[in-house]
């Protein structure tokens, strides 16, 4: 089907000297979806995004925007909200948006109404005539986002838009992103480190690490793949016993998987509550004390950790 | 018209950054004050300049008395006698010589200036007197200066880049003016018959030349210093453009519909205003510091105009620098590395040896003439030191305009290539 995909990355490759930041990435982003881009720090999300919007030249591979190579793509189609706040400190909010709109050749009458509605939607109306240098961090974030939307692009690329936002602003942002997709039919590409945000907003999620695509699926399927149901976390008083207990638990047929995460035993199973007595008795048999036990439904975060491991990235 | 939006935005940024603006404008002031103090008191040594006089005057007979006169000899004597004001140092060491050897003396720098007195000098003067006498009786006056049939031309020439020539030229013109005035007075008194005694032509009349006491090195260095300050603007412009790169705002613009032209032409407008204000400050401060300029208010206005063209050239240079610098510090260092040698090359501090590479429109074209600031400096000197008008500097202004345009286009291409295309 032609043009079902608005952005295609084919064998996208980027290296900085010897360091490979993006390693043969293949992605197809559908028109009108919210596409979540997940990965630990340094995974190559920002690098990939910069190539997708034409800010960075790929070392290899190709980016197609609506079937056209990015170099020849219509600039009006793409808007990017960079990870870092990039604003002119000595302009006011209104001036910044107007200037950006002028640079995109937005007609004057449309520009006026767009500036107003963006300020309204992102709760910056009170600060319309305040210099950027006098805004709070969160306000700057919101203006940073508004700047990406002034020319009403078809594709909106948001690199960690929720960073530094308070819970209220985050909800405003989420509703705003949903309305971009639902009311205006825009395609949104979103990176975030908040798993609930990615889970709640995204139609599909790509998880990348070390520049490689690990998974690309809907949040639901991803969670299913790593075991539908619940997670039981057991904290043993004596964590040296972890491995022994894990091998014992693995013999239980009703359990999907048992792994060690952060010195705790992580058990994935359907209907965990019903299986808890069995698990408990198995642990008891090992002559070890349970210091703490918790049970929660499987989340995207569990999937993420499972895929990318727990070690911190330098 | 995206460049207008850019210009407005840059204007706002410039004006709202009070401290930055203050520094930009304060700098030339500070700079000129230092140079005024250093050089303002120098050069008052009342140097005697070597004047090669080529006197071709054949003399003439006075109308009423039939007395034989030679005004050329007379003028030469005056040159020999004149002294600095409030001093008994002679202004000139006169060398009587032929035209060809005078040229050679200039080339060898053994003479600072040469003057050619034409062979009909006396005769024309006498003719004027006769005219004047008849004019008196018919009630009309004709001034010595604007005689139309036989134009008298005293040709003063020398190496226009040398300070000795600068001083000599100014002084010679003053002496000749005074000599003319004296002649007119004498002619009138002759005509009215009040003076029957034969013309004992003004010996000792022009002994000291007023104004010469205040000539200092500063007067001859000031235009060069102004040029240096104007050139330094390139550094400021480069730093400001680089800030946009460093802060990432350029990345936003890069993927918009803005083009290199919009960004740079837009930036050119507010910075030209800054350049104009800088030039005004430079001129004001140098005047306060005792700069003696020639040619009245017109010269000052003309100098401002020239300065602004030079400023535009510097802005264009700043754009080239910004194409290569990654942050303000780099822009500043690179700027200094470019501006200082450029200042030397265009002769802001002292004239480099002539390197003629060809001839264009009857003028020799030097290797330094490929830089607009050489022409800017020539024009500034011409206007401020020699009191010349617009017509005398059109050649240099035309060159500066053409060369500045070329630099701007180069800047635009480089900036677009290195700063507005996707990063590697
Ligand atoms: N210009 C550059 N030169 C050299 N290395 C770079 C450059 N840009 C990025 N990198 C490296 O590429 C890797 C990926 O960086 P990138 O910014 O894409 O990560 P990210 O996934 O966005 O991380 P984060 O979640 O922390 O924002 C990092 O190791 C980074 O150091
Ligand atoms: Mg990033």
């Amino acid at each position: 089907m032609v043009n079902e995909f608005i952005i295609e990355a084919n064998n996208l490759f980027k290296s900085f000297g010897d360091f490979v930041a993006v390693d043969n990435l293949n992605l197809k982003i559908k028109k009108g979806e919210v596409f979540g881009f997940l990965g630990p720090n340094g995974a190559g999300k920002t690098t990939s995004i910069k190539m997708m919007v034409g800010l960075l030249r790929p070392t290899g591979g190709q980016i197609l925007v609506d079937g056209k190579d990015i170099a020849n793509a219509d600039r009006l189609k793409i808007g990017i909200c960079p990870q870092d706040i990039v604003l002119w400190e000595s302009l006011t909010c209104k001036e910044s948006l107007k200037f950006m709109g002028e640079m995109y050749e937005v007609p004057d009458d449309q520009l006026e109404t767009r500036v107003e509605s963006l300020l309204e939607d992102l709760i910056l109306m009170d600060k319309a005539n305040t210099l950027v240098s006098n805004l709070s961090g969160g306000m700057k974030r919101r203006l940073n986002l508004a700047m990406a939307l002034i020319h009403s692009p078809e594709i909106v690329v948001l690199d960690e838009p929720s960073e530094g936002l308070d819970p209220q602003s985050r909800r405003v942002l989420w509703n705003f992103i949903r309305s971009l997709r639902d009311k205006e039919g825009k395609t949104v590409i979103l990176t975030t480190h908040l798993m609930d945000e990615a889970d709640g907003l995204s139609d599909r999620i790509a998880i990348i690490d070390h520049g490689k695509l690990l998974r690309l699926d809907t949040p639901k399927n991803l969670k299913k793949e790593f075991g539908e149901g619940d997670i039981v976390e057991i904290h043993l008083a004596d964590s040296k016993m972890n491995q022994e207990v894990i091998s014992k638990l693995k013999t239980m047929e009703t359990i999907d998987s048992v792994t060690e995460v952060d010195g705790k035993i992580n058990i994935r199973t359907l209907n965990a509550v019903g299986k808890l007595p069995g698990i408990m008795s198995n642990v008891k048999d090992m002559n070890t004390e349970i210091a703490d036990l918790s049970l929660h439904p499987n989340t995207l975060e569990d999937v993420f950790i499972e895929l990318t491991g727990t070690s911190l990235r330098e | 018209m995206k460049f207008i939006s850019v210009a407005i935005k840059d204007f706002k940024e410039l004006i709202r950054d009070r401290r930055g603006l203050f520094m930009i404008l304060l700098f030339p002031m500070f700079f000129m004050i230092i140079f005024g103090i250093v050089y303002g008191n120098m050069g008052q040594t009342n140097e005697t300049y070597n004047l090669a006089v080529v006197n071709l005057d054949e003399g003439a007979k006075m109308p009423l008395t039939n007395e034989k006169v030679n005004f050329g000899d007379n003028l030469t004597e005056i040159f020999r006698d004149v002294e600095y004001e409030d001093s008994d140092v002679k202004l000139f060491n006169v060398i009587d010589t032929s035209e060809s050897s005078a040229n050679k003396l200039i080339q060898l720098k053994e003479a600072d200036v040469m003057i050619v007195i034409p062979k009909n000098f006396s005769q024309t003067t006498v003719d004027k007197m006769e005219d004047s006498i008849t004019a008196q009786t018919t009630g009309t006056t004709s001034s010595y200066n604007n005689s139309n049939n036989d134009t008298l031309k005293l040709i003063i020439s020398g190496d226009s880049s040398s300070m000795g020539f600068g001083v000599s030229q100014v002084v010679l013109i003053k002496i000749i003016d005074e000599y003319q005035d004296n002649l007119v007075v004498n002619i009138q008194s002759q005509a009215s018959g009040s003076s029957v005694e034969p013309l004992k032509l003004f010996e000792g009349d022009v002994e000291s030349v007023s104004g010469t006491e205040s000539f200092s090195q500063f007067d001859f260095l000031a235009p060069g210093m102004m040029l240096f300050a104007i050139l330094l603007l390139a550094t400021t412009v480069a730093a400001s453009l680089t800030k946009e790169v460093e802060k990432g705002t350029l990345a936003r613009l890069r993927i918009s519909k803005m083009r290199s032209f919009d960004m740079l032409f837009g930036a050119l407008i507010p910075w030209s205003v800054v350049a104009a204000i800088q030039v005004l400050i430079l001129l004001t401060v140098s005047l306060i510091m005792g700069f003696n300029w020639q040619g009245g208010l017109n010269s000052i206005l003309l100098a401002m105009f020239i300065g602004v063209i030079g400023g535009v050239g510097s802005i264009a240079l700043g754009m080239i620098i910004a194409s290569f610098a990654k942050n303000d510090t780099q822009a500043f260092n690179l700027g200094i590395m470019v501006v200082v040698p450029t200042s030397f090359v265009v002769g802001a501090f002292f004239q480099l040896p002539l390197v003629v590479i060809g001839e264009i429109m009857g003028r020799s074209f030097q290797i330094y003439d490929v830089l607009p600031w050489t022409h800017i400096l020539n024009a500034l000197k011409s206007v401020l030191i020699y009191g010349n008008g617009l017509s005398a500097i059109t050649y240099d202004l035309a060159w500066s305009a053409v060369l500045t345009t070329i630099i701007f286009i180069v800047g635009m291409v480089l900036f677009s290539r290195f700063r507005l295309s996707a990063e590697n």
Side-chain angles (χ1 to χ4, degrees), chain A residues 9 17 46 53 64 69 78 83-84 113 138 155 175 178 189 198 203 205 214 224 235 270 280 298 303 309 311:
Chain A
T46 301
V53 300
L64 297 178
D69 192 276
I78 306 173
Q83 182 171 0
D84 304 313
T113 51
I155 306 162
N175 287 332
R178 283 196 194 101
I189 300 170
D203 296 308
I205 285 176
L214 300 179
K224 203 178 331 176
H235 192 177
L270 272 173
M280 300 282 274
N298 191 9
V303 177
S311 59

Side-chain angles (χ1 to χ4, degrees), chain B residues 97-380:
Chain B
T97 181
S98 70
E99 190 155 3
S100 60
S101 60
N103 278 321
K104 202 157 284 162
L105 286 173
I106 294 285
Q107 273 168 12
L108 296 172
K109 301 208 186 282
E110 282 174 21
D112 295 294
V113 61
M114 63 181 275
I115 183 164
V116 181
I117 302 172
K119 67 176 188 218
N120 59 346
F121 184 57
S122 295
Q123 192 57 57
T124 315
T125 311
V126 166
D127 292 349
K128 292 281 128 53
M129 285 182 180
E130 280 175 335
D131 288 354
S132 170
I133 289 162
T134 38
Q136 285 258 316
T137 50
T138 55
T140 52
T141 47
S142 82
S143 126
Y144 182 87
N145 288 331
N146 45 24
S147 58
N148 25 22
N149 14 358
D150 281 305
T151 33
L152 248 187
K153 228 176 170 184
L154 293 168
I155 299 159
I156 300 169
S157 49
D159 175 1
S160 61
S161 62
S162 89
M163 185 175 139
F165 174 67
V167 180
S168 307
Q169 190 192 22
V170 173
V171 173
L172 282 175
I173 290 169
K174 283 196 169 187
I175 294 172
I176 293 165
D177 276 354
E178 227 166 304
Y179 186 74
Q180 285 179 357
D181 291 346
N182 278 323
L183 263 179
V184 173
V185 171
N186 269 282
I187 290 162
Q188 280 166 352
S189 62
Q190 281 249 320
S192 60
S194 65
S195 156
V196 274
E197 60 181 287
L199 279 167
K200 275 224 58 186
L201 283 159
F202 349 100
E203 268 168 71
D205 273 12
V206 193
E207 282 252 291
S208 74
V209 180
S210 66
T212 51
E213 85 291 352
S214 51
F215 270 123
S216 74
Q217 205 154 349
F218 182 57
D219 296 332
F220 297 93
L221 290 177
M225 292 307 138
M226 286 176 199
L227 186 80
F228 180 54
I230 291 170
L231 257 168
L232 274 172
L233 189 61
T235 309
T236 320
V237 172
S240 118
L241 286 172
T242 311
K243 214 169 72 189
E244 198 111 33
V245 177
E246 204 184 351
K247 283 179 56 197
T249 42
L250 190 68
R252 276 201 186 287
L253 298 175
R254 204 160 62 198
I255 52 171
S256 76
K257 294 205 151 199
M258 187 202 73
R259 289 284 165 278
S260 186
F261 169 82
D262 301 314
M263 163 132 189
L264 297 186
F265 199 74
L268 192 65
I269 297 168
W271 283 106
S272 302
V273 174
V274 170
I277 299 173
Q278 270 206 359
V279 171
L280 184 66
I281 293 175
L282 282 168
L283 280 167
T284 315
V285 175
S286 44
L287 294 181
I288 293 169
M289 295 306 294
F291 177 57
N292 291 289
W293 87 101
Q294 306 295 319
L297 189 64
N298 276 349
S299 297
I300 295 291
L301 292 176
L302 206 50
M304 269 204 66
F305 177 64
I306 301 165
V308 172
I309 297 185
V312 172
S314 304
I315 297 165
L317 181 64
M319 291 165 181
I320 296 184
I321 296 168
S323 309
F324 297 101
K326 285 218 161 67
N327 52 50
D328 325 22
T329 323
Q330 275 186 22
F332 185 77
N333 291 334
L334 192 60
I336 294 292
M337 266 163 58
V338 172
V339 164
V340 172
T342 306
S343 306
F344 274 102
V345 166
V346 302
F349 308 116
F350 49 80
Q351 193 71 25
L352 294 183
L354 304 179
V355 185
V356 176
I357 52 173
E359 198 153 294
I360 294 175
M361 294 161 68
R363 299 190 193 220
S364 62
F365 195 85
Q366 284 191 56
I367 191 150
Y368 319 116
D369 288 344
V370 299
L371 295 171
W373 304 281
T374 308
H375 301 281
I376 292 293
L377 184 58
N378 286 345
L380 273 181

Side-chain angles (χ1 to χ4, degrees), chain A residues 14 53-57 75-76 80 86-88 90-91 95 99-100 102-105 131 144 147, chain B residues 2 5-6 9 12-13 16 244 247-249 251-258 421-424:
Chain A
K14 181 73 195 178
V53 300
L55 276 172
L56 193 66
R57 213 187 309 272
R75 285 158 184 250
L76 277 173
I80 180 171
V86 172
L87 298 167
W88 288 275
S90 42
L91 298 186
E95 286 168 348
F99 174 63
M100 211 56 223
E102 282 159 353
M103 291 303 104
Y104 275 106
E105 297 176 356
L131 290 183
N144 202 37
M147 297 282 269
Chain B
K2 292 193 286 296
S5 307
V6 173
K9 176 214 126 220
K12 284 178 184 160
E13 286 195 294
R16 289 175 188 170
E244 198 111 33
K247 283 179 56 197
T249 42
R252 276 201 186 287
L253 298 175
R254 204 160 62 198
I255 52 171
S256 76
K257 294 205 151 199
M258 187 202 73
S421 59
E423 272 173 61
N424 268 312

Side-chain angles (χ1 to χ4, degrees), chain A residues 16 19 21 39-48 83 159-160 193, chain B residues 423:
Chain A
F16 299 104
F19 180 80
N41 290 146
K45 302 180 296 295
T46 301
T47 309
S48 308
Q83 182 171 0
D159 200 351
E160 297 190 25
H193 289 297
Chain B
E423 272 173 61

Side-chain angles (χ1 to χ4, degrees), chain A residues 69-197:
Chain A
D69 192 276
I70 180 73
N72 312 316
D74 182 358
R75 285 158 184 250
L76 277 173
K77 279 201 173 132
I78 306 173
I80 180 171
C81 166
Q83 182 171 0
D84 304 313
I85 294 175
V86 172
L87 298 167
W88 288 275
E89 294 280 322
S90 42
L91 298 186
T92 66
C93 295
K94 214 173 194 166
E95 286 168 348
S96 305
L97 288 173
K98 268 193 81 177
F99 174 63
M100 211 56 223
E102 282 159 353
M103 291 303 104
Y104 275 106
E105 297 176 356
V106 178
D108 280 349
D109 48 333
Q110 283 184 35
L111 186 54
E112 202 65 44
T113 51
R114 266 188 218 165
V115 168
E116 296 291 314
S117 75
L118 278 172
L119 289 173
E120 191 88 51
D121 290 348
L122 292 165
I123 337 250
L124 284 167
M125 216 50 192
D126 287 349
K127 300 288 177 180
N129 296 313
T130 304
L131 290 183
V132 169
S133 53
N134 297 338
L135 294 179
S136 81
M139 295 169 189
K140 284 185 189 175
R141 277 263 155 224
R142 280 178 273 154
L143 181 61
N144 202 37
L145 171 62
M147 297 282 269
L149 299 164
I150 191 67
H151 55 294
S152 191
E154 249 177 84
I155 306 162
V156 181
V157 182
L158 310 174
D159 200 351
E160 297 190 25
S162 54
E163 197 189 290
L165 293 185
D166 60 24
Q168 289 86 345
S169 305
R170 224 177 291 151
R171 271 158 188 81
V172 169
L173 173 74
W174 293 345
N175 287 332
F176 185 70
I177 292 174
R178 283 196 194 101
S179 77
L180 281 179
R181 174 191 58 193
D182 300 339
K183 294 204 187 112
E184 303 179 44
K186 298 191 187 308
T187 309
V188 180
I189 300 170
L190 171 83
T191 83
T192 177
H193 289 297
L194 301 175
M195 296 303 144
D196 54 336
E197 176 173 290

Side-chain angles (χ1 to χ4, degrees), chain B residues 24-41:
Chain B
I24 292 169
L25 295 180
L26 201 70
F27 173 75
M29 195 185 301
F30 177 73
F31 183 80
M32 223 50 204
I33 290 173
I34 298 286
F35 275 94
I37 291 169
V38 173
Y39 290 106
N41 300 313

